[in-house]
Structure formats: C-alpha cells, structure tokens
Amino acid sequence: MEFYRKAEGTPARLAILASAFHPVTKAHMALAQAALPRACEVLFVLPRTQPHKSYDEVILEDRLRMVLAATAHDPRFSVAVTGGGLFIDIARECRAHYPPGAALAFLCGADAAQRFLHWDYGEPDAVSRQLEEFELWVADRGMPFEPPEAYRGRVSKLEIPAALRPISSTEVRRRIAAGEDWQSLVPNTVRALVREIYRA
C-alpha cells in the first residue's frame, strides 16, 4: 500500500472506501462524510486491479489526481493505492500501516455489498471469516439493502442523502458521452479535472 496523503494520529476505527473513482462523485464523498461520526479517519483506496471491473481508458494516475483534489479539504481523509482488489486483501494491507487494535470498516453501496456477500471465493464460510477481520457499512444506492441476519453484527446500514443515492461513476460517464449535464454529479473541486480527463 502506497500512501499519497495520510491523516495524522492513530485511529481506533478506520473507514475504508475502495473504488475505481472513475470518476469520483458526490456519492463517494457522501459515503465518506457519513462514516466520520463512526470512524476517526476515512481511507480512500484505489486498487491497481479489481476482479469485477476494467477501467483501462483512464489511467490510475488521473483517477488518483481526482481523489486527491476531492479530499484535500478534510485532514481526516487519507488516500492510498493498493495492489489488492478484494476487501480482504486491502484490509490485510492496512494492518501493516495502522495499529493492531484498530477496527476496520469498508464503506460501499448496496450493489457492492451484494457482490461481496455473494462472490464465489472458492471456499466455504469465506464471507464469515472475512467479516471477522472487518465490518461492512452499506448505503442504499438505487436499491434497498437490509443486512443479512447471519451477519447483522458485522454488516450495518450507512445513511446518505436520498438525492445522492442514485449517483454513480457510470452515470457520470454516460452523461459526458451523451453531452448531458454531468457537473451536478461530481464535487466542485474535481469538475475541471473531469472535464480534462474525460474530454467533456
């Protein structure tokens, strides 16, 4: 894990937002803000590879530039790049940089939570074992989400404003390609970068 910005202090609870940030959106920032009352620090993580996504058309360095610009206003936001793509890989990389007793929680939307909970990891009880190492804080993102009964102690809901729930990077890219309004979906601090990187 390579840090490009690191919050000061040693957090007792770390929230982790791992995404392609292709591009960073207001929904990403809402997830991070919603986590702050429950966590001391939010770590924005850009995986070099992800098992379910491909984003070769926009290089890592450009996506990193957007995240650094979007998070510069809050000293509780850290930014890093990781080699792992799965939550468990990222969690174990975090252990090398944070106190052993720090509690970890991944932030995600309902769609990502469903992928995590139902992914074929190739071994029984893989989800339960992973949730021993971190929690999952899940926001409704265009689809309702209720934590499965078996994991209710480790999977919980995270509330973000209803108007931001449907926003996605995919929708931003679609609107750019269609010549529609996209500026309202991204933070003001990254609009110029999005325009440059996506030739909007």
Side-chain angles (χ1 to χ4, degrees):
M1 181 171 285
E2 182 178 1
F3 282 84
Y4 289 81
R5 182 184 300 122
K6 182 78 163 57
E8 294 184 2
T10 53
R13 186 178 297 273
L14 174 71
I16 305 164
L17 180 53
S19 176
F21 299 108
H22 180 25
V24 62
T25 70
K26 287 184 175 179
H28 289 128
M29 302 312 298
L31 277 170
Q33 290 291 340
L36 285 173
R38 298 166 62 177
C40 309
E41 177 183 334
V42 177
L43 173 61
F44 289 69
V45 176
L46 293 89
R48 293 188 182 278
T49 60
Q50 287 184 291
H52 58 281
K53 288 186 179 180
S54 173
Y55 34 82
D56 295 337
E57 64 272 25
V58 174
I59 62 174
L60 174 68
E61 288 74 15
D62 281 340
R63 290 181 283 113
L64 177 60
R65 287 166 61 205
M66 288 187 283
V67 174
L68 287 169
T71 58
H73 67 284
D74 197 316
R76 295 169 294 178
F77 291 159
S78 298
V79 179
V81 170
T82 177
L86 297 176
F87 284 173
I88 189 63
D89 300 327
I90 297 168
R92 288 173 178 171
E93 284 195 62
C94 283
R95 289 294 178 200
H97 299 276
Y98 289 91
L104 307 181
F106 280 89
L107 314 178
C108 64
D111 51 344
Q114 294 292 355
R115 278 197 304 270
F116 167 76
L117 293 170
H118 300 290
W119 191 266
D120 181 7
Y121 297 97
E123 54 187 64
D125 300 323
V127 171
S128 297
R129 288 202 301 275
Q130 290 181 66
L131 289 173
E132 293 174 359
E133 300 194 34
F134 56 81
E135 296 177 40
L136 205 61
W137 297 351
V138 185
D140 291 344
R141 291 287 313 280
M143 59 185 293
F145 178 81
E146 286 298 328
E149 188 67 39
Y151 308 128
R152 282 188 186 266
R154 304 294 291 174
V155 180
S156 59
K157 294 188 71 170
L158 190 67
E159 295 296 331
I160 65 172
L164 301 181
R165 293 174 191 165
I167 295 176
S168 69
S169 297
T170 301
E171 178 63 11
V172 175
R173 297 194 306 274
R174 187 199 69 76
R175 291 192 185 190
I176 290 172
E180 300 173 5
D181 168 61
W182 55 267
Q183 292 91 335
S184 61
L185 306 185
V186 304
N188 296 345
T189 51
V190 302
R191 286 179 183 173
L193 281 173
V194 172
R195 188 175 290 109
E196 169 199 335
I197 292 166
Y198 293 87
R199 302 294 188 263

